[in-house]
Amino acid sequence: MYTAPVKMPSKNSRVYVCGMQSSGSSIFSYFLAQIPDSLAVIDLWIRQPCPPLMLDMPVSIKTCISVMECYLQDVSVFKPTLSILFMRDPVDIYVSLKKKSYFNDGGDADDKFQIYETMFRERETLFDLSICYEDFTKNPLEVAKRLRQHDVPIQNSALSFKRGLEEVIDFARSRSTWCHDNYQTRWTHGNIHTDNLPELHTIRTLNPDPEVIAKMRELCPRLMDAYHGAVSAPF
C-alpha cells in the first residue's frame, strides 16, 4: 500500500501524466500542450528525473512507467496539482511495444507491466484521475470536460491541434533553461504521428496471439479483468 502524494496549492495547473510506453500517452500529452501559453514536456524519457519546472504558467509533463520509486520521486519534485494515470489495454500495449527498439528501455518489460498493474490497483491513492486511451480517442471532448472539472484550462478547440509540435517545443525551450538544455537528451515529443491529426483513432489488436493474452493475464490480472472480463470492471 502506498500513501497519496502531498498536494501543493498553485494558481496554475500542473499536470503530471504517467503511462506505459506505447500507451498513446504522448498524443494525450500533446493534447494538453494545446493549452495556450502553457509549457509542455510532451515526453520525458523513461527513468529521467522529473524537473521542478516552477513557472508562472500552466505546465504539463508526461513520463513512462518504469519503477515505483521513480514515480514517487517525480511527484515529490514536480508537485502536480493533478496527477493522471493514462491507461490502455495491456494486450494492445504489449503488441505495439514488442515491435519497438525500446521494449526493455527503463527496465525489463515484464517488470514494467507488473508496475502498471500495481499502479492500476493503487490508482485511487496514487493518482487524482485515471484516463483510458480508448476513451480519449473515442470521445476526447468528454475527456476535456473531465480535465476542466479538475481546473485544467483546456478547451474543446484543443482537438484541432493547431499548436504544432515545433511551436510547443520552441515555447518550452524559450521559457525554461532545463527544457532548452535537455531537449533530445532527456525529453522530446515522443512517438507522435502528426499526419493522423486532428482526427483520433482507437488502434486495437485484431486477433491477438493467445500466448500474449495469457502472458498479460499473468502480469496484469486486474487490468485484464477490467479490459477483457465478462463484465468489465469500472475504471
Side-chain angles (χ1 to χ4, degrees), residues 65 68 71 85 115-123:
I65 292 170
M68 188 65 74
Y71 166 73
L85 175 62
I115 295 297
Y116 180 28
E117 168 77 2
T118 299
M119 286 185 166
F120 175 72
R121 289 173 181 255
E122 301 282 347
R123 65 194 183 280

Side-chain angles (χ1 to χ4, degrees), residues 107 120 124 146 198 203:
F120 175 72
E124 292 186 2
R146 292 177 65 195
I203 301 173

Side-chain angles (χ1 to χ4, degrees), residues 10-178:
S10 174
K11 69 176 183 179
N12 293 307
S13 62
R14 298 178 54 79
V15 184
Y16 179 92
V17 181
C18 189
M20 282 289 288
Q21 295 159 305
S22 290
S23 67
S25 55
S26 289
I27 190 62
F28 177 69
S29 183
Y30 185 35
F31 182 67
L32 289 171
Q34 301 305 307
I35 297 172
D37 298 319
S38 70
L39 185 146
V41 175
I42 295 175
D43 181 45
L44 178 68
W45 289 2
I46 194 165
R47 297 200 76 160
Q48 289 294 326
C50 185
L53 297 176
M54 293 298 179
L55 303 166
D56 188 18
M57 63 185 69
V59 179
S60 61
I61 191 165
K62 186 274 294 184
T63 190
C64 293
I65 292 170
S66 56
V67 296
M68 188 65 74
E69 289 75 15
C70 286
Y71 166 73
L72 296 173
Q73 178 65 20
D74 281 355
V75 294
S76 174
V77 170
F78 184 68
K79 297 178 173 53
T81 60
L82 180 67
S83 56
I84 298 173
L85 175 62
F86 193 83
M87 304 182 301
R88 186 184 182 189
D89 186 331
V91 172
D92 292 333
I93 292 176
Y94 185 88
V95 170
S96 174
L97 187 56
K98 186 67 175 176
K99 303 172 185 175
K100 305 296 196 304
S101 61
Y102 46 81
F103 181 63
N104 286 308
D105 283 4
D108 179 79
D110 286 6
D111 292 342
K112 290 183 287 189
F113 276 100
Q114 289 178 320
I115 295 297
Y116 180 28
E117 168 77 2
T118 299
M119 286 185 166
F120 175 72
R121 289 173 181 255
E122 301 282 347
R123 65 194 183 280
E124 292 186 2
T125 298
L126 293 172
F127 297 91
D128 302 306
L129 187 64
S130 299
I131 292 177
C132 298
Y133 160 84
E134 295 81 6
D135 292 339
F136 172 58
T137 51
K138 288 178 181 177
N139 195 347
L141 297 186
E142 180 60 30
V143 169
K145 179 180 177 181
R146 292 177 65 195
L147 290 169
R148 289 193 294 271
Q149 291 171 347
H150 288 269
D151 299 320
V152 179
I154 192 162
Q155 301 303 314
N156 290 348
S157 57
L159 188 57
S160 65
F161 292 96
K162 289 184 177 179
R163 201 179 188 206
L165 281 176
E166 291 303 319
E167 180 181 350
V168 171
I169 293 165
D170 289 347
F171 184 92
R173 296 186 71 196
S174 68
R175 299 305 194 278
S176 161
T177 300
W178 184 94

Side-chain angles (χ1 to χ4, degrees), residues 174-193:
S174 68
R175 299 305 194 278
S176 161
T177 300
W178 184 94
C179 289
H180 181 276
D181 293 346
N182 292 287
Y183 178 62
Q184 293 189 322
T185 57
R186 292 188 176 182
W187 77 282
T188 185
H189 50 67
N191 189 25
I192 296 175
H193 303 288

